[in-house]
Structures are given as structure tokens and as C-alpha cells.
Amino acid sequence: MAYELNKKLKSIEPYETLPVTSPVRLDANESCYNIADKIGDIIGKAVKDIEFNRYPDPTAKKVTEAFATFYGIKPENCTAGNGSDELIFLILSSFLEKGDTVVTLSPDFSMYAFYGFLNELKIRNLPKEDDLKIDVGKVAEYCNNNDVGAIIFSNPCNPTSLGVRRQDVIRLVKNVYCLVIVDEAYMDFWGESVIDLTDEYDNLVVLKTCSKNMGMAALRLGFAVAGDKITTALRAAKSPYNVNAVTQAAAAAVLNHKSLIMEYTAEMINSRKQLQNSICELSERYFTIEKVYDSVTNFVFVKTPKAQEISEKLLSRGVAVRYMGSYLRITAGTEEENSIFLREFREILSLL
Ligand SMILES: *Cc1c(COP(=O)(O)O)cnc(C)c1O
């Protein structure tokens, strides 16, 4: 008898990424700087000192302390994960039970609904307003009237590049009974974080990643920041050796260089502002660009009915960007990468 996959597995496909061989990669919102160019020796030394025959520290103590120090918060509130991706899965699978309702907003990061589906949760996907902003009052009312177990959203949002102000996030957290998971993957490009409030609200979890402004996507490291009750449960539910020793050692070394990370972050914000201005200028001339959103992240979100065609043409010219339906998402790169993108983009627009 042939082995049969269940229905759930038959209906899913591997997460699609673009080929890593594109010379200009503006498709994954990564940092355009490799911090190892500056402090590679220090990272190398930290990795060399690892006892490779031993299991890693299950509490990831050193790197968790470095992370907490970076943000001026308490390490007791922080749980390390193998990317914040692992933490999203862990939270959805352990804080909710099969059939519980999780609210996602649309559009938002696709992994929330995917992990919700894998964990057999009921996913209620609430559409955002016409301008892609979030009406916090409406969302809170929905959560309270529909027996919702958790709401998860990214702030600022991937892919819309828009942010919800701290006051509004607080209003949501205060006014709902359910768990509120705020994914702040891009918050370092803005500054409306609620990471300092997890002791005040026992239904709040803030997710952070080292993959974006910190430039450590290769290492796979993220953190869940929450109060005692949630943190104790998370630590009990996680797999014991979830963050490997190379990641722990290398990331601790990087996190101790706060000013360097801040410098790169500032440069990426600058790069995004320039990219956004240039795309806005193009939108005045080429009406296929319907809208350029006001980004508070390291990427620019653009509405165009030709998104797919444009992204395919860009890719054939060596420039990778993301397209999603009638939108393009373009990560801010180095000055050179941005100018290559803009040159090719302008030419493609003029030929449409
Ligand atoms: C990139 C990204 C992450 C990061 O995930 P990691 O697993 O830490 O690399 C999380 N949430 C959002 C919204 C993202 O865009």
C-alpha cells in the first residue's frame, strides 16, 4: 500500500524564493550591508571558541543578554528562537488549540496564515482599509465579538511598508481579551515600538528578528519579548536546543557593536527615502505606477497593475524584486543597487 499524505500536506507547496544568483537582490528585505566586512575577525574568534562537541546553551543566555542590552530591556522577558519564524510557529502551536480562532490582517506577512493552517487553527483574515491602513477600533471589536484566541500582525507591515503608531497598538492591546502578537521585524527603521511594555500587558508578545536591520539573516535568530507568564510558557514549549551555538556566539559578537548596527540602519533608512523619492518621481511620468506608499521600513511598496510583468522583466535584467498581485515590493539597497534598479525600472516603464 502506498503511503498517503494527509489533506493538509497535499494542499501546501514549498515557500517560493527567487534565485539567489541575481546580481541585484532587492526581493527579501535583507540588509544591504555585510557586517562581517567590518568585524569578521571578532565574529571568527567568537565562533572558534565554541565547544563544537557540546550541545548549545538551551537558554541562549549570552546572546539573549546582548539582545536585551541592545534594546534596554530585561533578558528575563526575552526568548530566543531559530529566526522569529520559529517563534511564530511556536506561539501559534502552543498558545492556541486546534480549531481556535486566530485573526490575521490582509495584506500582511504570509507566514502567519500558513502556520495557522498547519496548526489547524481557524484563520479569520480581516481586510485592511482601502488605503491599506489598519482601523484599530474595528479590529479590537472584531476580536472581542468573535471569541478570538490571538491576533497577529506585523508593525510596520511587510508588505505594505505602513506602520501603526504606538498609541494605537497600546489601545488594541488594552481593549482586547486575546493574545496580541506584534511582529516588529521592521520597527528599527521607524521608532514606535511597544517592546518596553510587555511587563505592563500580560496579553502582549513582541517579536523581533536579527534578519533585517541587524543584517544577520544568515544566522537565523529572533526573539519573543513578553511578560513572565508568557515567557515561562514559551521557554517550556520550545525545543531545548533551538538556537545553535554558532548563531549564539556570532550574534552576541555582532550585538555588542550597537553603534555599527545603528549606523547601517540609518543608512538603510536614507537609502529607502531616496528610493521612494525616485519612484515617486517616476510615478508622475508613468501612470502604470498607481501609488507609492509612505514607507516607514527598508522597502518601498508600489501599486501597479503590471506588477508581475515588471518584476519578470526586472529579473531578466538581473534585478530581483517581489511582486504580489498588483503590487511590487522593492528593498532599499546600496546606492549602486538602487541606481541599477532605477535605470532598469525606468526603461521597462518606458517600453510598456
Ligand atoms: C523578515 C520577516 C521576519 C523575519 O523572520 P526571521 O525568521 O527572523 O528571519 C518576520 N516577520 C516579518 C513580517 C518579516 O518580514
Side-chain angles (χ1 to χ4, degrees), residues 83-85 88 109 112 154 158 183 185-186 209 211-212 220-221:
S84 52
D85 220 58
I88 296 166
F109 192 44
Y112 308 144
S154 56
N158 170 16
D183 181 349
Y186 301 93
T209 177
S211 301
K212 303 288 156 57
R220 312 300 303 124
L221 181 65

Side-chain angles (χ1 to χ4, degrees), residues 151-207:
I151 169 164
I152 181 165
F153 63 100
S154 56
N155 189 39
C157 171
N158 170 16
T160 67
S161 78
L162 305 173
V164 180
R165 294 209 170 271
R166 174 180 160 97
Q167 281 315 317
D168 291 325
V169 176
I170 293 172
R171 194 150 59 87
L172 176 68
V173 174
K174 267 182 160 164
N175 286 314
V176 297
Y177 301 104
C178 67
L179 184 65
V180 180
I181 307 154
V182 185
D183 181 349
E184 293 193 350
Y186 301 93
M187 189 52 88
D188 299 65
F189 299 112
W190 196 26
E192 295 279 326
S193 180
V194 293
I195 199 174
D196 56 319
L197 298 180
T198 54
D199 275 337
E200 238 165 281
Y201 303 109
D202 72 352
N203 60 333
L204 172 65
V205 188
V206 178
L207 296 177

Side-chain angles (χ1 to χ4, degrees), residues 46-61:
V47 170
K48 200 166 141 283
D49 289 343
I50 291 169
E51 286 185 277
F52 277 84
N53 55 322
R54 302 292 176 195
Y55 279 103
D57 174 6
T59 67
K61 186 164 187 282

